[in-house]
Amino acid sequence: MIKNIPLLIGLRYIRAKRRNHFISFISAVSMIGLVLGVMVLIIVMSVMNGFDREMQTRVLGMVPHGTISQTGGMSGWRSVMDKVATAKDVVGVSPYIDTQGLLSFKSNTRGVLIYGVAPETHRSVSIVGNHFIAGSLDDLKEGEFNIVLGEILAKILGVGVGDKVTLMVPEVSVSIAGLTPRYKRFTVSGIFKVGAEMDSSLALINVFDAAKLLKMGNAVDGIRLKVDDLFKAREITWNIAMSLGGRYLVSDWTRTQGNLYKAIQMEKRMIALLLVMIVAVAAFNIVSSLVMLVQDKQGDIAILRTMGASQRQVMGVFMVQGTAIGLMGVAIGAVLGIIGALSIAELIAGIEKLFHIKVLDGSVYFISYFPSELHLSDVLWITGLSFLLSFVATIYPSFRAARVSPAEALRYE
């Protein structure tokens, strides 16, 4: 029983009504601060994990993991593609031609990235084939001059499947009228939606139609490949190009999207650091509440000491109380944070529908919705660190309580 005195008295102090209501208020504020800090930290980390996931699956699922090309076009691309397809760590390979142009329909005009693809192999290097809302990738048949647009791009131009759009490419051809831009009419055969920035800027056509349009003959710009570990894409692509012999130009996703990915990682770390500091402030509010409580309970401390309680037991009483406040705050915050992380996407979607707003505009941001991915490891380190901070905050007030002199404390009682 004597050994359990710190636990029994500490828990009783939590339940008991205090004469000084301001101390109760400070204790409540400390707990609420911990709850909010832990909850927000879990939700924000889950959202950042979601952005990280979407970056890898959607954005990096659309752009090439790596490309191998040649200046002036690659005429022997079929043999190169056969060699690359059998290389270690390569899971997909496909030829491509890319250029920029202007798409127009009636009075609407939009600058776009034109990507020539081979439908039969493009599925192995891109996720676009799985995100069609109208038509399919197989509609891009050679010689039919069909075109596939992103959903936002189609809305901007005001077109649907079956409409004919005019494509103007920057290459020019000589006629008796002088230098004129090269135009070609294409039929919209499909619309895709990946929920990323490409929905507003990308158009797909058949790679052989692109070669005819750009007068490249049987050549293509190069081949794009998909690797099994995208974080090794640079090394894998370089090694493959070196093994082919000859002169090739090599690129990978870290050159085109690497800064964006690094920015997300940096933001994730900085936001976590800032929110941990907020949790630390909330945890150390426990210091002020316990210091005030020690001052208010000096008579009780003196009586405990005169009844034989040791300094360690007195110190344990207030450490139990501060730790219990921190534990309750962290536990409630963790539960609310997990619930929030699992429902944040639906909550944001409901707010968008209710107020007719768009939190993430797909034409501005690289995705158009609010992602969230809860990791158990994040919950564990957030709750563990928060509890540790709240425990450390109890040490000084508890040490101060243990140093209270019974004679001095009882002199004015």
Side-chain angles (χ1 to χ4, degrees):
M1 183 69 178
I2 294 177
K3 292 182 179 179
N4 294 330
I5 283 178
L7 181 62
L8 295 174
I9 298 179
L11 295 178
R12 184 174 180 180
Y13 272 171
I14 294 175
R15 299 191 302 267
K17 293 183 178 180
R18 300 188 178 98
R19 292 169 294 180
N20 191 333
H21 294 290
F22 185 68
I23 299 176
S24 300
F25 173 74
I26 295 297
S27 298
V29 168
S30 302
M31 183 181 295
I32 293 173
L34 275 174
V35 170
L36 294 177
V38 172
M39 178 185 70
V40 172
L41 187 51
I42 290 176
I43 292 175
V44 170
M45 291 301 294
S46 297
V47 171
M48 295 306 294
N49 290 335
F51 276 107
D52 190 11
R53 178 198 65 203
E54 296 304 310
M55 177 67 184
Q56 294 186 37
T57 58
R58 290 187 179 268
V59 177
L60 297 184
M62 289 288 291
V63 303
H65 287 183
T67 60
I68 299 174
S69 58
Q70 286 182 316
T71 303
M74 182 184 291
S75 56
W77 58 271
R78 287 182 174 84
S79 61
V80 173
M81 193 171 76
D82 291 338
K83 294 178 182 178
V84 174
T86 59
K88 183 181 178 181
D89 302 319
V90 174
V91 296
V93 61
S94 182
Y96 75 91
I97 293 176
D98 66 345
T99 186
Q100 294 180 342
L102 286 175
L103 274 179
S104 64
F105 179 75
K106 296 181 179 179
S107 60
N108 299 320
T109 303
R110 178 79 171 185
V112 295
L113 172 64
I114 304 298
Y115 209 81
V117 302
E120 61 276 8
T121 57
H122 192 66
R123 294 181 184 276
S124 65
V125 297
S126 173
I127 64 171
V128 67
N130 302 324
H131 294 273
F132 272 74
I133 59 177
S136 72
L137 197 61
D138 296 328
D139 294 330
L140 297 179
K141 298 177 181 179
E142 180 183 358
E144 294 188 2
F145 290 95
N146 291 331
I147 190 169
V148 169
L149 308 178
E151 182 196 35
I152 298 176
L153 177 59
K155 289 181 179 179
I156 293 173
L157 294 174
V159 299
V161 174
D163 290 331
K164 293 186 178 295
V165 295
T166 300
L167 172 62
M168 181 181 72
V169 293
E171 284 78 13
V172 294
S173 56
V174 180
S175 67
I176 58 174
L179 298 177
T180 58
R182 188 176 302 158
Y183 294 90
K184 182 63 182 177
R185 297 274 284 178
F186 282 81
T187 302
V188 178
S189 62
I191 297 174
F192 65 85
K193 178 183 179 181
V194 294
E197 184 183 5
M198 292 80 165
D199 290 347
S200 64
S201 60
L202 182 63
L204 304 179
I205 62 177
N206 186 280
V207 67
F208 298 109
D209 291 345
K212 293 177 182 177
L213 179 65
L214 301 177
K215 296 184 178 180
M216 296 179 63
N218 294 322
V220 298
D221 282 339
I223 60 172
R224 62 179 285 179
L225 56 147
K226 181 179 181 180
V227 298
D228 57 358
D229 186 352
L230 60 90
F231 295 105
K232 295 181 179 179
R234 175 180 293 183
E235 177 184 353
I236 294 171
T237 307
W238 179 263
N239 290 338
I240 291 174
M242 292 293 291
S243 67
L244 293 174
R247 300 176 63 88
Y248 294 96
L249 301 176
V250 178
S251 183
D252 62 274
W253 70 269
T254 61
R255 295 188 179 184
T256 58
Q257 305 291 334
N259 290 336
L260 177 60
Y261 186 78
K262 290 179 181 178
I264 292 176
Q265 296 299 312
M266 180 62 70
E267 289 175 2
K268 183 178 178 180
R269 296 188 185 99
M270 293 305 299
I271 290 175
L273 178 61
L274 293 174
L275 291 177
V276 166
M277 294 175 68
I278 294 174
V279 172
V281 170
F284 280 95
N285 279 338
I286 297 175
V287 174
S288 59
S289 65
L290 287 182
V291 167
M292 295 178 66
L293 182 64
V294 168
Q295 191 67 28
D296 187 59
K297 297 293 185 180
Q298 286 199 11
D300 295 354
I301 295 170
I303 292 173
L304 284 173
R305 291 298 308 279
T306 57
M307 293 177 65
S310 65
Q311 286 186 337
R312 179 177 294 182
Q313 287 176 320
V314 172
M315 189 174 179
V317 169
F318 292 93
M319 291 187 72
V320 166
Q321 184 173 1
T323 302
I325 292 173
L327 182 60
M328 287 188 290
V330 170
I332 296 172
V335 171
L336 294 179
I338 291 172
I339 295 173
L342 295 176
S343 58
I344 185 68
E346 291 76 11
L347 178 62
I348 296 298
I351 293 175
E352 290 178 339
K353 185 176 181 180
L354 180 63
F355 295 99
H356 303 287
I357 59 174
K358 194 69 176 175
V359 177
L360 294 178
D361 188 348
S363 62
V364 178
Y365 302 98
F366 71 89
I367 59 174
S368 60
Y369 60 96
F370 229 77
S372 178
E373 183 173 337
L374 182 65
H375 291 172
L376 178 61
S377 58
D378 287 337
V379 176
L380 292 178
W381 79 255
I382 290 170
T383 54
L385 180 60
S386 301
F387 179 72
L388 178 62
L389 290 173
S390 62
F391 175 77
V392 171
T394 67
I395 295 176
Y396 170 73
S398 302
F399 179 74
R400 183 172 175 176
R403 303 260 318 200
V404 170
S405 172
E408 291 294 327
L410 292 174
R411 177 178 296 180
Y412 303 103
E413 289 293 329

